[in-house]
Amino acid sequence: MSWRLECGACGRLAARPLATVCPDCGKPLLARYDLADLDGEALRRAWAARPAGMWRYREIMPLDPDEEPVTLGEGGTPLLELRLGGQFEDMTLLVKDEGLNPTGSFKDRGLCAAVTRAVHEGATDFVIPSAGNAGAALAAYAARAGASARLFIPEDTPEGVARRCEHYGADTTRVDGLIDECGRLSAEYAAETGAFNISTLKEPYRIEGKKTMMLEIVESLGWRPPDAIVYPTGGGTGLIGSHKTLSELRELRLIDGGTRLYAVQGSGCAPIVRAHAAGATHAEPWRDASTEAWGLRVPGALGDFLILEALRESGGGAVAVPDEAMMTAALELGAAGVGACIEGGATLAAARELRRSGELKDGETVVLFNTAHLLTY
Ligand SMILES: [Zn+2]
């Protein structure tokens, strides 16, 4: 299958080899496939006959037919029904448990796709800023590809997280600052050494990996999109990817209709929630970001305009929840047998809010995302 790269903001086409961002406006590039040439029904049958995992969808993934992915068995994670009763009694509440990926988080999907593409285009050294899970994922996939990885992580990243990155053989630098400072240092390091900067939305393919979460959900539901998803939103690649998946599946005539996408952020760092409430098309960076959910501590996202577009076009919304509510909800998921991280808890806390406000209705099917395993904390 072939694809081209198109700027998500200005529409300019970009060359494929080791692509980063739009050469004109610096915004994220998106992979566009020639879907009109594909037979959706035939694809659906081919996908079902392959082993579970994100590469079963290879015809709409950034992989040429003669290439093999750099894989650790990512994807194919369970979609579990939650029976919590109470306000969820009259609806179907599901959780996509991404904690079962190779390094314990959804970051594996994005980095698997991005490392695969970059390695096929000649990259041998990678750099990334990370609050934790993306760093571990890059470290593992770079190791698998025989490439090197350099990570910049905030100094207050928990010790266990840093050790996890080092376990896979990555060089880890602790930075006195937040993720945006780590991002600046990564860009500098890439400019100085020629390492490939694989930061969120600084290259086009992490979105392609993340979009497979929604592909799996829709396939699990018998090619019916759920009514709503509730997604913990930091950099937002998964949300952007979900929106992209739904539009690709409509173009392939595999689904009708869509899914309302809801972003969840922490009350102490909610730039997307604020921008969505104001009807803005861009989000101003959040000052003095603070939340225990380090996956959500992203003061400014490069793909802010794509996230806001996805929320608006899908008829969804955005909710901020306080840390205490996230933690309580993570324990509630634990009591249901799901080893949820705090960001996973955030989705349940947000679903409670959305149910109270009447956004989630009787009879609907709603999917929460547990983005990482409890043990990654
Ligand atoms: Zn552009």
Side-chain angles (χ1 to χ4, degrees):
M1 189 55 203
S2 69
W3 68 95
R4 61 189 184 284
L5 294 175
E6 185 184 289
C7 175
C10 75
R12 171 182 168 151
L13 297 180
R16 248 176 61 174
L18 284 180
T20 55
V21 292
C22 174
D24 278 351
C25 73
K27 297 289 184 187
L29 295 170
L30 300 171
R32 301 289 188 203
Y33 304 84
D34 295 321
L35 299 174
D37 300 345
L38 293 174
D39 174 349
E41 272 307 313
L43 274 187
R44 182 163 90 164
R45 284 192 301 272
W47 294 342
R50 291 178 189 156
M54 65 181 227
W55 295 103
R56 66 161 37 183
Y57 310 108
R58 59 180 293 157
E59 288 83 359
I60 54 169
M61 291 286 283
L63 195 67
D64 285 326
D66 60 340
E67 292 175 339
E68 289 303 320
V70 176
T71 178
L72 291 166
E74 55 292 322
T77 57
L79 184 64
L80 305 168
E81 183 165 359
L82 295 169
R83 292 192 184 83
L84 301 179
Q87 63 180 154
F88 299 119
E89 190 67 54
D90 299 316
M91 53 188 297
T92 305
L93 191 64
L94 305 166
V95 60
K96 180 70 170 160
D97 193 0
E98 286 291 298
L100 277 82
N101 278 299
T103 76
S105 92
F106 70 150
K107 301 282 184 182
D108 286 341
R109 294 183 191 258
L111 285 151
C112 173
V115 167
T116 290
R117 193 66 249 138
V119 163
H120 280 297
E121 288 167 7
T124 54
D125 303 286
F126 293 95
V127 59
I128 199 170
S130 172
N133 285 329
L138 172 64
Y141 283 91
R144 184 71 170 168
S148 81
R150 157 75 62 169
L151 318 179
F152 289 93
I153 64 173
E155 202 168 48
D156 60 351
T157 301
E159 186 56 30
V161 174
R163 277 217 303 273
R164 209 148 47 89
C165 300
E166 286 157 6
H167 178 84
Y168 292 112
D171 292 318
T172 306
T173 304
R174 291 165 204 235
V175 176
D176 180 15
L178 291 183
I179 188 77
D180 43 355
E181 176 63 7
C182 297
R184 201 182 58 73
L185 291 169
S186 298
E188 248 175 49
Y189 180 83
E192 279 165 19
T193 64
F196 188 65
N197 185 352
I198 205 155
S199 307
T200 302
L201 299 178
K202 294 281 189 189
E203 62 73 54
Y205 300 115
R206 284 176 64 178
I207 289 179
E208 296 304 294
K210 287 280 189 72
K211 84 178 183 189
T212 61
M213 290 189 288
M214 194 65 173
L215 270 163
E216 289 177 8
I217 290 168
V218 174
E219 185 174 23
S220 299
L221 296 176
W223 300 100
R224 252 192 18 254
D227 295 294
I229 66 168
V230 185
Y231 191 87
T233 306
T237 37
L239 203 66
I240 299 166
S242 294
H243 191 53
K244 188 168 186 288
T245 293
L246 293 165
S247 107
E248 288 174 356
L249 291 178
R250 277 191 297 268
E251 214 174 318
L252 288 167
R253 290 192 210 88
L254 285 175
I255 60 167
D256 292 320
T259 298
R260 304 194 309 279
L261 311 179
Y262 293 94
V264 189
Q265 299 195 300
S267 305
C269 180
I272 296 295
V273 178
R274 183 174 63 187
H276 180 74
T281 52
H282 287 81
E284 292 300 318
W286 191 273
R287 274 199 241 163
D288 302 320
S290 123
T291 166
E292 287 294 312
W294 19 268
L296 301 181
R297 212 167 53 181
V298 180
L302 190 59
D304 61 344
F305 67 104
L306 294 172
I307 299 170
L308 290 162
E309 184 180 281
L311 302 181
R312 214 170 39 241
E313 285 182 0
S314 72
V319 190
V321 292
D323 284 6
E324 310 83 75
M326 294 182 202
M327 289 187 222
T328 305
L331 290 174
E332 204 181 340
L333 286 168
V338 179
C341 60
I342 181 169
E343 292 84 354
T347 64
L348 176 57
R352 291 211 173 282
E353 273 303 312
L354 292 166
R355 187 70 176 136
R356 261 194 292 274
S357 67
E359 284 268 347
L360 303 181
K361 298 166 197 74
D362 284 357
E364 290 195 327
T365 298
V366 176
V367 180
L368 312 179
F369 284 77
N370 179 43
T371 46
H373 198 278
L374 153 78
L375 293 176
T376 60
Y377 268 73

